[in-house]
Amino acid sequence: MTMIQHNKHNNNNTMNFNFQWAFVAAIFVLSSCGTTDTEPPTICTELTGTPSVLDDEIEAEAGTTVTVNDAFCDDTELGEVRWDLHSAEGHEHEGEEEEGFVLNSGTDWALLETQALEGTSAGGSFTFDVPLTARGVWDLVVSIVDAEGNAAADIVGEVHVENDHIPEFTLQSVDGVDPATWEGEPVWAPGNTVNVVGAVSDSDGMEIAQLLLIRESDETVVWSEYVDSAGEAVVNFSKDVVVPADAETGEYHFEMEATDLTGVEMHTGFHVEVE
């Protein structure tokens, strides 16, 4: 059984990288004591239709290669730029608008890359291959530091990944509520029955689909049920999820898994608080 990949691992990697980033900035500062440069670098891209972190949204198709191009400027000397691509699921960045409810797939896909910059203005590009397992919204965080260690505020872009290769789940209501109207994660109580209404689809036809409620502390499946797919391209379902009366309070995830008739698999889901 495929489990949802949590962003905790990615968060730890990002925290470690942030520490290294701060260390690099400190080295710049120590190597330039006595300087008067206190101005941080800037992003000075002029939007010309080429994907940029300044775009409202970068559109990407699973299975393709995307290159993001931007320009960076500093009054004396540039230092480095860091590109950090990670799933937008379960968090938001300072100054970033809340994304709302998105069913992401392939959420363990993440990239970090650092590039040296020279001169007072320089172009930088970030190229990535979008895996066939990915669908949803990813954050692209661009961080710039100049040669004196002055760091600019992070620029946060949004990468929207479309995917016609893997099966797709959509949800109309959870416990009678449209998930698009949620503020934060849903809260379910031990002993509750929660009705989930949705659909799973794939142009190649569905072989199997399953819904599961999983306790995060030890990855124990506390409830599961199959969706009767019968080889159809679109399968609607309405399932009553039973939260066990003796369920421990804490974090859970509701997972949806599917495999089409060609053997292509996917999984997605959302977090649930049981209390």
Side-chain angles (χ1 to χ4, degrees):
M1 181 188 67
T2 305
M3 300 297 178
I4 287 181
Q5 298 295 322
H6 308 300
N7 58 19
K8 293 179 181 176
H9 177 70
N10 292 337
N11 287 342
N12 289 336
N13 286 343
T14 303
M15 289 173 61
N16 291 336
F17 203 92
N18 285 340
F19 175 80
Q20 296 170 10
W21 183 257
F23 181 75
V24 169
I27 292 297
F28 278 126
V29 172
L30 290 174
S31 64
S32 56
C33 290
T35 64
T36 58
D37 178 17
T38 59
E39 293 295 322
T42 62
I43 185 167
C44 48
T45 303
E46 293 183 5
L47 297 180
T48 59
T50 300
S52 160
V53 70
L54 297 180
D55 291 342
D56 291 337
E57 186 175 79
I58 298 171
E59 295 286 350
E61 292 283 343
T64 65
T65 299
V66 177
T67 298
V68 179
N69 293 291
D70 281 295
F72 309 100
C73 298
D74 189 70
D75 58 335
T76 56
E77 181 70 21
L78 290 163
E80 291 184 339
V81 58
R82 182 188 70 184
W83 310 84
D84 178 357
L85 181 69
H86 56 265
S87 171
E89 183 182 24
H91 71 282
E92 60 185 86
H93 296 270
E94 184 177 354
E96 180 186 27
E97 292 186 10
E98 188 174 352
E99 179 59 37
F101 181 76
V102 177
L103 285 174
N104 278 27
S105 301
T107 51
D108 58 337
W109 173 50
L111 300 170
L112 284 169
E113 184 175 316
T114 301
Q115 299 167 357
L117 300 172
E118 296 181 352
T120 57
S121 65
S125 64
F126 177 54
T127 300
F128 55 91
D129 297 323
V130 185
L132 288 175
T133 57
R135 176 191 284 126
V137 178
W138 267 253
D139 287 330
L140 177 58
V141 182
V142 177
S143 307
I144 327 163
V145 65
D146 68 13
E148 302 298 334
N150 301 305
D154 288 345
I155 302 104
V156 183
E158 183 179 281
V159 180
H160 185 201
V161 178
E162 297 284 357
N163 193 322
D164 295 327
H165 180 70
I166 59 177
E168 181 176 18
F169 278 94
T170 56
L171 293 176
Q172 282 75 55
S173 66
V174 177
D175 204 20
V177 178
D178 182 351
T181 66
W182 284 349
E183 295 183 3
E185 61 187 27
V187 178
W188 299 351
N192 274 12
T193 297
V194 180
N195 181 248
V196 177
V197 179
V200 57
S201 60
D202 190 279
S203 59
D204 295 313
M206 297 303 310
E207 178 182 9
I208 191 171
Q210 188 179 18
L211 311 179
L212 309 97
L213 182 61
I214 301 171
R215 185 170 60 223
E216 289 194 4
S217 61
D218 57 6
E219 296 297 320
T220 296
V221 177
V222 301
W223 175 92
S224 66
E225 191 167 321
Y226 286 96
V227 174
D228 186 10
S229 53
E232 299 177 10
V234 179
V235 181
N236 297 304
F237 60 85
S238 176
K239 295 292 183 180
D240 288 331
V241 181
V242 179
V243 183
D246 60 352
E248 298 177 6
T249 59
E251 293 288 334
Y252 288 69
H253 52 269
F254 183 74
E255 183 171 339
M256 297 174 283
E257 300 177 341
T259 304
D260 69 16
L261 291 176
T262 67
V264 174
E265 300 177 350
M266 67 82 63
H267 66 269
T268 188
F270 55 87
H271 292 271
V272 175
E273 179 78 19
V274 172
E275 60 181 37

